[in-house]
Amino acid sequence: MTTTASPMPEATYVDRKRYLWLFSLLVPMTALTGPLLYMFVSPKILWLWLPTVFSYVVIPVLDFIIGEDLSNPPEEAVPALEADSYYRYVTYALVPVLWASFLVSVYFLGTHELPWYGVLAVIMSAGGTLGYGLNLGHELGHKKSGLERWLAKITLALGFYGHFFVEHNRGHHRDVATPADPASARMGESIYRFVFRELPGAFFRAWDLEAERMERCGKSVWSLDNEVIQPALISIALYAALIAIFGLEMLPILLLIAFWGAFQLTQANYIEHYGLLRKQLANGRFERCQPHHSWNSNHLFSNWALFHLQRHSDHHAHPTRRYQSLRDFPDLPRLPNGYFGMYLLAYVPPLWFHVMDKRLLDAVGRDPSRINFEQAKRRKLMRRYRLDDTSAEA
């Protein structure tokens, strides 16, 4: 099912998704269902897998059944829509939800003897919680208010990934859809190869960017004004406290949860710009990022669950625009499902390449100069898809 809406005057515009954004609160709460059902209903390991099954099975099915929404708010209504405090309060409310969910998961792991597959289930659901935290940090970190920026840091600190606050805003948005960006996947690059490039690359870019800023400000890189160090200190205090309470054996579990949380961001980054390339200008710089430099998805349920993250094209073209007013545009590179369904596809690289390489070629008009290739596979891909070698070298 696909819905469209014609523009409406500001006076009559009603956001039909206004209360559906509460799913962005409710879906992250699913991580609590497994431990709570185990403790208060019956001690069955199956309960612990429910959050993961919901994310990777139920959400893609709901996206398929409910369909897409191509409607946009009229531009004359956007100032009032963005000024409406309700939408900000929804994001604020998610911060304690995520902290509570993470702490309950860790408490459960620290106080229950579980088989390895039970521990794995809780690690995955808790890491999923951190993934939602990264998404919230993404939304809040772009905003100008000090409150929202600090809430972003506090949330990102849960997964020891506070450097994302710097890396994404000042690194990824600058370099997106170019070979210089470790967070932009290349055509022919599997998600498993990408993760080893993206995770360390993101941290080092964040540190370099903040070190440059500290130098410009005449401060030491170790200053408490360093926005990589600020959330890191929160993370260190949190993890040290949890290890002190539950013992050193909690350390590998916390590290695995943090890794799975970081991987949620990595897999989102992988699908958001796969193979897309901004044109390099004569002066060596790249053209301004446009909506067609990101993959877009209008699938309803996963957008409700992710604060419209999947309208990624408008986000990169207009980074400060709030989630409730992000738009769809015609002729964008489009994903066949929401992010959760695409994650499953990415886990099987041959299937991913089979589906997405053809879509990529269609999106760029089979123009190799608009493709960000995995360089080691460029010639092979050019031959496979019978692309013009001359234009590729131009």
Coordinates of all heavy atoms in Angstrom, one line a residue, residues 106-151:
V106 N 21.6 -5.5 31.6 CA 22.9 -5.8 32.3 C 22.6 -6.5 33.6 O 23.3 -7.5 34.0 CB 23.8 -4.6 32.4 CG1 25.0 -4.9 33.2 CG2 24.2 -4.1 31.0
Y107 N 21.7 -5.9 34.4 CA 21.3 -6.5 35.7 C 20.8 -8.0 35.5 O 21.2 -8.9 36.2 CB 20.2 -5.7 36.3 CG 19.5 -6.4 37.5 CD1 20.1 -6.4 38.7 CD2 18.3 -7.1 37.3 CE1 19.5 -7.1 39.8 CE2 17.7 -7.7 38.3 CZ 18.3 -7.7 39.6 OH 17.7 -8.4 40.6
F108 N 20.0 -8.2 34.5 CA 19.5 -9.5 34.2 C 20.7 -10.5 33.9 O 20.7 -11.6 34.5 CB 18.5 -9.5 33.0 CG 18.0 -10.8 32.7 CD1 17.0 -11.4 33.4 CD2 18.5 -11.5 31.5 CE1 16.5 -12.7 33.1 CE2 17.9 -12.8 31.2 CZ 16.9 -13.3 32.0
L109 N 21.6 -10.1 33.1 CA 22.8 -10.9 32.8 C 23.6 -11.2 34.0 O 24.2 -12.2 34.1 CB 23.6 -10.3 31.6 CG 22.9 -10.3 30.2 CD1 23.7 -9.5 29.3 CD2 22.9 -11.8 29.7
G110 N 23.7 -10.1 34.8 CA 24.6 -10.3 36.0 C 24.0 -11.1 37.2 O 24.7 -11.4 38.1
T111 N 22.7 -11.4 37.1 CA 22.1 -12.0 38.2 C 21.4 -13.4 37.8 O 20.7 -14.0 38.7 CB 21.0 -11.1 38.8 OG1 20.1 -10.7 37.8 CG2 21.6 -9.9 39.5
H112 N 21.5 -13.8 36.6 CA 20.9 -15.1 36.2 C 21.9 -16.0 35.5 O 22.7 -15.5 34.7 CB 19.7 -14.8 35.2 CG 18.6 -14.1 35.9 ND1 18.5 -12.8 36.2 CD2 17.4 -14.7 36.3 CE1 17.4 -12.5 36.8 NE2 16.7 -13.6 36.9
E113 N 21.9 -17.2 35.8 CA 22.7 -18.2 35.1 C 21.9 -18.6 33.9 O 20.8 -19.2 33.9 CB 22.9 -19.4 36.0 CG 23.8 -19.1 37.2 CD 25.3 -18.9 36.8 OE1 25.7 -19.5 35.7 OE2 26.0 -18.2 37.5
L114 N 22.6 -18.4 32.7 CA 21.9 -18.7 31.4 C 22.9 -19.5 30.6 O 24.1 -19.4 30.7 CB 21.6 -17.4 30.7 CG 20.7 -16.4 31.4 CD1 20.7 -15.1 30.6 CD2 19.3 -16.9 31.5
P115 N 22.3 -20.4 29.7 CA 23.1 -21.0 28.7 C 23.7 -20.0 27.7 O 23.1 -18.8 27.6 CB 22.2 -22.0 28.0 CG 20.8 -21.4 28.2 CD 20.9 -20.7 29.6
W116 N 24.7 -20.3 27.0 CA 25.3 -19.4 26.1 C 24.4 -18.7 25.1 O 24.4 -17.5 24.8 CB 26.5 -20.0 25.3 CG 26.1 -21.0 24.3 CD1 25.9 -22.4 24.5 CD2 25.7 -20.7 22.9 NE1 25.5 -23.0 23.3 CE2 25.4 -22.0 22.3 CE3 25.6 -19.6 22.2 CZ2 24.9 -22.1 21.0 CZ3 25.2 -19.7 20.8 CH2 24.9 -20.9 20.3
Y117 N 23.4 -19.5 24.6 CA 22.4 -19.0 23.7 C 21.4 -18.0 24.3 O 20.9 -17.2 23.6 CB 21.7 -20.1 22.9 CG 21.1 -21.2 23.7 CD1 19.8 -21.1 24.2 CD2 21.9 -22.3 24.0 CE1 19.3 -22.1 24.9 CE2 21.3 -23.3 24.8 CZ 20.0 -23.2 25.3 OH 19.5 -24.2 26.0
G118 N 21.2 -18.2 25.6 CA 20.4 -17.2 26.4 C 21.2 -15.9 26.6 O 20.6 -14.8 26.4
V119 N 22.5 -16.0 26.9 CA 23.3 -14.8 27.0 C 23.4 -14.1 25.7 O 23.3 -12.8 25.6 CB 24.7 -15.2 27.5 CG1 25.7 -14.0 27.5 CG2 24.7 -15.8 28.9
L120 N 23.6 -14.8 24.6 CA 23.6 -14.2 23.3 C 22.4 -13.5 22.9 O 22.4 -12.4 22.4 CB 23.9 -15.3 22.2 CG 23.9 -14.8 20.8 CD1 25.1 -13.9 20.5 CD2 24.1 -16.0 19.8
A121 N 21.2 -14.0 23.3 CA 20.0 -13.4 23.0 C 19.9 -12.0 23.7 O 19.4 -11.0 23.1 CB 18.8 -14.3 23.5
V122 N 20.3 -12.0 25.0 CA 20.2 -10.7 25.7 C 21.3 -9.7 25.2 O 21.0 -8.5 25.1 CB 20.4 -10.9 27.2 CG1 20.3 -9.6 28.0 CG2 19.3 -11.9 27.7
I123 N 22.4 -10.2 24.8 CA 23.5 -9.3 24.3 C 22.9 -8.7 23.0 O 23.1 -7.5 22.8 CB 24.7 -10.1 24.0 CG1 25.5 -10.4 25.2 CG2 25.6 -9.3 23.0 CD1 26.7 -11.4 25.1
M124 N 22.2 -9.4 22.2 CA 21.7 -8.9 20.9 C 20.6 -7.9 21.2 O 20.5 -6.8 20.5 CB 21.2 -10.0 20.0 CG 22.4 -10.9 19.5 SD 21.8 -12.2 18.3 CE 21.3 -11.2 16.9
S125 N 19.7 -8.2 22.1 CA 18.6 -7.2 22.4 C 19.1 -6.0 23.0 O 18.7 -4.9 22.7 CB 17.5 -7.9 23.2 OG 18.0 -8.3 24.5
A126 N 20.1 -6.1 24.0 CA 20.7 -4.9 24.6 C 21.5 -4.1 23.6 O 21.5 -2.9 23.6 CB 21.6 -5.4 25.8
G127 N 22.2 -4.8 22.7 CA 22.9 -4.1 21.6 C 22.0 -3.4 20.7 O 22.3 -2.3 20.2
G128 N 20.8 -4.0 20.5 CA 19.8 -3.3 19.7 C 19.3 -2.0 20.4 O 19.1 -1.0 19.7
T129 N 19.2 -2.1 21.7 CA 18.9 -0.9 22.4 C 19.9 0.2 22.2 O 19.6 1.4 22.0 CB 18.9 -1.2 24.0 OG1 17.8 -2.1 24.2 CG2 18.7 0.1 24.8
L130 N 21.2 -0.1 22.2 CA 22.2 0.9 21.9 C 22.1 1.4 20.4 O 22.4 2.5 20.2 CB 23.6 0.2 22.1 CG 23.9 -0.3 23.5 CD1 25.4 -0.8 23.6 CD2 23.7 0.8 24.5
G131 N 21.7 0.5 19.5 CA 21.4 1.0 18.2 C 20.4 2.1 18.1 O 20.5 3.1 17.4
Y132 N 19.3 1.9 18.8 CA 18.3 2.9 18.9 C 18.8 4.2 19.6 O 18.5 5.3 19.2 CB 17.1 2.4 19.7 CG 16.2 1.4 19.0 CD1 16.2 0.1 19.4 CD2 15.5 1.7 17.8 CE1 15.5 -0.9 18.8 CE2 14.8 0.7 17.2 CZ 14.8 -0.6 17.6 OH 14.0 -1.5 17.0
G133 N 19.8 4.0 20.5 CA 20.4 5.1 21.1 C 21.3 5.9 20.1 O 21.3 7.1 20.2
L134 N 22.0 5.2 19.3 CA 22.8 5.9 18.2 C 21.8 6.6 17.3 O 22.2 7.7 16.8 CB 23.6 4.8 17.5 CG 24.8 4.3 18.2 CD1 25.3 3.0 17.6 CD2 25.9 5.4 18.1
N135 N 20.7 6.1 17.0 CA 19.7 6.8 16.1 C 19.2 8.0 16.8 O 19.1 9.1 16.2 CB 18.6 5.9 15.8 CG 17.6 6.5 14.9 OD1 17.9 7.1 13.8 ND2 16.3 6.5 15.3
L136 N 18.9 7.9 18.1 CA 18.5 9.1 18.9 C 19.6 10.2 18.9 O 19.4 11.4 18.8 CB 18.1 8.7 20.3 CG 17.6 9.9 21.2 CD1 16.4 10.6 20.6 CD2 17.3 9.4 22.6
G137 N 20.9 9.7 19.2 CA 22.0 10.6 19.2 C 22.2 11.3 17.9 O 22.6 12.5 17.8
H138 N 21.9 10.6 16.8 CA 21.9 11.1 15.5 C 20.9 12.3 15.3 O 21.3 13.3 14.8 CB 21.7 10.0 14.4 CG 21.5 10.5 13.0 ND1 20.3 10.7 12.5 CD2 22.4 10.8 12.1 CE1 20.4 11.1 11.2 NE2 21.7 11.2 11.0
E139 N 19.7 12.0 15.7 CA 18.7 13.1 15.6 C 19.0 14.3 16.5 O 18.9 15.4 16.0 CB 17.3 12.5 16.0 CG 16.2 13.5 16.1 CD 15.8 14.1 14.8 OE1 16.0 13.5 13.7 OE2 15.2 15.2 14.8
L140 N 19.3 14.1 17.8 CA 19.6 15.2 18.7 C 20.9 15.9 18.4 O 21.0 17.1 18.6 CB 19.5 14.7 20.1 CG 18.2 14.1 20.6 CD1 18.4 13.5 22.0 CD2 17.1 15.2 20.6
G141 N 21.9 15.1 18.0 CA 23.2 15.7 17.8 C 23.3 16.8 16.7 O 24.2 17.6 16.7
H142 N 22.3 16.8 15.8 CA 22.3 17.8 14.7 C 21.7 19.1 15.2 O 21.7 20.1 14.4 CB 21.5 17.2 13.5 CG 22.3 16.4 12.6 ND1 23.3 16.9 11.8 CD2 22.3 15.0 12.4 CE1 23.9 15.9 11.1 NE2 23.3 14.8 11.4
K143 N 21.1 19.1 16.3 CA 20.3 20.3 16.8 C 21.3 21.3 17.5 O 22.3 21.0 17.9 CB 19.2 19.9 17.7 CG 18.3 18.8 17.0 CD 17.7 19.3 15.7 CE 16.9 18.3 15.0 NZ 17.6 17.2 14.3
K144 N 20.8 22.5 17.5 CA 21.6 23.6 18.0 C 21.5 23.8 19.5 O 22.4 24.4 20.1 CB 21.3 24.9 17.3 CG 21.5 24.9 15.8 CD 21.2 26.2 15.1 CE 21.4 26.1 13.6 NZ 21.1 27.3 12.9
S145 N 20.4 23.4 20.2 CA 20.3 23.7 21.6 C 21.2 22.8 22.4 O 21.5 21.7 22.1 CB 18.8 23.4 22.0 OG 18.6 22.0 22.2
G146 N 21.7 23.4 23.5 CA 22.7 22.7 24.4 C 22.1 21.5 25.0 O 22.7 20.5 25.2
L147 N 20.8 21.6 25.4 CA 20.1 20.4 26.0 C 20.1 19.2 25.0 O 20.5 18.1 25.4 CB 18.7 20.8 26.3 CG 17.8 19.7 26.8 CD1 18.4 19.1 28.1 CD2 16.3 20.1 27.1
E148 N 19.7 19.5 23.8 CA 19.6 18.3 22.9 C 21.0 17.8 22.6 O 21.2 16.5 22.5 CB 18.9 18.8 21.6 CG 17.4 19.0 21.8 CD 16.7 19.6 20.6 OE1 17.1 20.7 20.2 OE2 15.9 18.9 20.0
R149 N 22.0 18.6 22.5 CA 23.3 18.1 22.2 C 23.9 17.3 23.3 O 24.6 16.3 23.2 CB 24.3 19.3 21.8 CG 23.9 19.9 20.5 CD 24.6 21.3 20.3 NE 26.0 21.1 20.0 CZ 26.5 20.8 18.8 NH1 25.7 20.6 17.8 NH2 27.8 20.7 18.6
W150 N 23.6 17.7 24.6 CA 24.1 17.0 25.7 C 23.3 15.7 25.9 O 23.8 14.6 26.3 CB 24.0 17.8 27.0 CG 25.3 18.4 27.3 CD1 25.7 19.8 27.1 CD2 26.5 17.8 27.7 NE1 27.0 19.9 27.5 CE2 27.5 18.8 27.8 CE3 26.8 16.5 28.1 CZ2 28.8 18.5 28.3 CZ3 28.1 16.2 28.5 CH2 29.1 17.1 28.6
L151 N 22.0 15.7 25.6 CA 21.2 14.4 25.6 C 21.8 13.5 24.6 O 21.8 12.2 24.8 CB 19.8 14.7 25.4 CG 19.0 15.4 26.5 CD1 17.6 15.7 26.1 CD2 19.0 14.5 27.7

